[in-house]
């Protein structure tokens, strides 16, 4: 088993707003397999063990939280891990890429493919070629979302969370919000803050969600996946300094920016209790700072 620390609900005091806001610190579960990545991997790793499959294979980009988490989990539990990475050019940049450097140190093998081939990654021919290269493997989708991942995310909310009116979470592939929807209590509303543009998320979430008490708030993606500007960097640094809660720039930073902005705009009724889920992903800060530095933009405090 992966040794875990405890997730806590940390209050964010907002004066004169009539709103109670808490952050569920899922990022504290584990130093590397943290937040929703642990939740998504939990039952997939058990399934791989039950099938006696010794190799885990998945997909990801240059700074993928999922790649880093799977590599770390594999090292802890004794699995071989393989990461199929989008972008041939990254094969010569491993030592300069914090995520890939970490994953390699955990023992992960890489296969770098072109962006064109990556789009075809779930085809039978592509998977058969991977089987030829790496032998039998347990396949975990990009981002980790499948039915077993959703099952794990259904364990994020506990009985002590039943009195919150709103559950807020960042959305990538839709697995985490699906689990939260399924385990939400009567009267709770689940608000998803997509980190990327696109109308496909409704369809993807509907594959797994068994309730209709959810809404996507599409105003805070900052232009798309991994897009960021000085306003978001400033918010992340100010929030971290004020509340001692670090935020990642891809997911939780955008979600918390949105939550705080909605509170400022009076979008939540007076007396509402709001729980924002911190899904981890803090390893991505180093990679984003590398990107920001190249553009001579302010960096995220670490």
């Amino acid at each position: 088993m992966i040794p875990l620390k405890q997730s806590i609900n940390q209050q964010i005091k907002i004066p004169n707003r009539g709103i109670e806001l808490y952050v569920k610190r899922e990022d504290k579960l584990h130093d590397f397999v943290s937040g929703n990545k642990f939740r998504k991997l939990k039952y997939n790793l058990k399934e791989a063990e039950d099938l006696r499959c010794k190799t885990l294979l998945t997909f990801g980009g240059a700074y993928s939280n999922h790649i880093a988490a799977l590599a770390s989990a594999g090292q802890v539990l004794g699995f071989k891990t393989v990461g199929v990475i989008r972008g041939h050019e990254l094969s010569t940049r491993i030592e300069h890429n914090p995520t890939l450097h970490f994953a390699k140190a955990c023992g992960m093998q890489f296969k770098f493919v072109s962006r064109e081939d990556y789009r075809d990654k779930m085809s039978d021919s592509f998977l058969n070629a991977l089987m030829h290269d790496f032998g039998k493997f347990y396949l975990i989708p990009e981002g980790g979302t499948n039915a077993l991942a959703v099952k794990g995310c259904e364990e994020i909310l506990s009985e002590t969370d039943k009195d919150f009116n709103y559950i807020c979470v960042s959305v990538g592939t839709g697995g985490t919000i699906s689990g939260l929807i399924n385990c939400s209590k009567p009267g709770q509303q689940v608000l998803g803050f997509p980190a990327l543009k696109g109308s496909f998320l409704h369809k993807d979430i509907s594959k797994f969600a068994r309730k209709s008490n959810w809404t996507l708030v599409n105003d805070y993606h900052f232009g798309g996946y991994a897009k960021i500007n000085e306003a978001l960097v400033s918010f992340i640094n100010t929030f971290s300094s004020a509340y001692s809660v670090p935020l990642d720039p891809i997911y939780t930073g955008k979600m918390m920016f949105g939550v705080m902005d909605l509170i400022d705009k009076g979008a939540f009724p007076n007396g509402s209790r709001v729980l924002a889920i911190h899904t981890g992903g803090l390893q991505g800060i180093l990679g984003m700072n590398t990107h920001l530095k190249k553009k001579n933009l302010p960096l995220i405090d670490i």
Side-chain angles (χ1 to χ4, degrees):
M1 292 292 293
I2 296 174
L4 296 181
K5 301 175 185 177
Q6 188 171 2
S7 172
I8 62 170
N9 288 350
Q10 179 175 336
Q11 186 173 16
I12 306 298
K13 294 185 178 180
I14 307 173
N16 305 319
R17 292 293 182 182
I19 303 295
E20 286 188 54
L21 173 62
Y22 286 78
V23 175
K24 181 173 279 292
R25 298 293 305 275
E26 289 278 288
D27 59 304
K28 287 185 170 291
L29 287 175
H30 190 271
D31 290 339
F32 306 112
V33 194
S34 70
N36 65 337
K37 296 311 174 189
F38 166 75
R39 302 293 187 181
K40 288 182 175 183
L41 288 174
K42 177 180 176 180
Y43 290 107
N44 276 290
L45 295 173
K46 184 178 185 303
E47 179 74 0
E49 288 180 341
D50 290 346
L51 294 173
R52 297 184 180 181
C53 195
K54 303 298 185 183
T55 300
L56 310 172
L57 184 143
T58 196
F59 310 93
Y63 301 110
S64 167
N65 294 322
H66 176 60
I67 288 289
L70 185 68
S72 179
Q75 183 182 47
V76 171
L77 298 177
F79 287 102
K80 294 179 181 179
T81 55
V82 177
V84 180
I85 309 298
R86 182 179 64 249
H88 266 313
E89 72 281 0
L90 295 171
S91 63
T92 61
R93 303 177 189 173
I94 294 174
E95 301 308 315
H96 303 287
N97 179 301
T99 300
L100 299 181
H101 180 76
F102 171 78
K104 181 181 177 182
C106 291
M108 178 172 273
Q109 293 178 267
F110 299 123
K111 182 177 181 64
F112 297 92
V113 300
S114 68
R115 283 161 174 75
E116 181 180 359
D117 287 343
Y118 192 84
R119 286 192 290 270
D120 197 37
K121 61 184 177 295
M122 294 304 292
S123 68
D124 288 342
S125 59
F126 192 90
L127 294 176
N128 287 336
L130 291 175
M131 192 81 69
H132 179 269
D133 290 343
F134 299 105
K136 179 184 176 183
F137 54 78
Y138 182 85
L139 177 65
I140 300 177
E142 181 179 28
T145 291
N146 57 16
L148 290 175
V150 173
K151 178 182 177 180
C153 290
E154 290 173 0
E155 299 176 354
I156 292 175
L157 297 180
S158 66
E159 185 64 21
T160 59
D161 300 324
K162 65 184 179 185
D163 294 327
F164 287 101
N165 307 109
Y166 296 91
I167 310 298
C168 300
V169 67
S170 58
V171 180
T173 54
T176 304
I177 189 174
S178 296
L180 289 168
I181 293 165
N182 292 343
C183 70
S184 62
K185 301 296 184 181
Q188 290 183 327
Q189 289 292 313
V190 182
L191 303 182
F193 293 76
L196 63 167
K197 293 191 292 185
S199 58
F200 58 89
L201 281 172
H202 272 279
K203 182 179 179 181
D204 289 348
I205 294 168
S206 297
K207 293 177 184 177
F208 299 107
R210 299 191 295 269
K211 303 176 185 178
S212 59
N213 60 330
W214 57 280
T215 303
L216 295 183
V217 184
N218 291 299
D219 301 326
Y220 302 101
H221 53 63
F222 285 80
Y225 183 73
K227 301 291 185 181
I228 188 172
N229 60 23
E230 291 189 40
L232 183 57
V233 173
S234 177
F235 170 80
I236 289 171
N237 288 339
T238 300
F239 191 90
S240 177
S241 176
Y243 303 112
S244 299
V245 179
L247 302 172
D248 86 284
I250 308 299
Y251 296 105
T252 57
K254 294 180 178 182
M255 182 264 297
M256 283 308 308
F257 186 103
V259 170
M260 299 296 279
D261 189 52
L262 291 177
I263 291 173
D264 286 342
K265 291 176 177 177
F268 297 105
N270 192 56
S272 295
R273 302 189 77 235
V274 181
L275 180 64
I277 310 299
H278 195 313
T279 52
L282 297 175
Q283 69 87 30
I285 294 176
L286 289 174
M288 181 57 73
N289 276 347
T290 300
H291 175 71
L292 293 171
K293 189 173 182 179
K294 290 178 180 177
K295 294 193 171 186
N296 293 317
L297 293 174
L299 303 184
I300 299 167
D301 296 336
I302 298 177

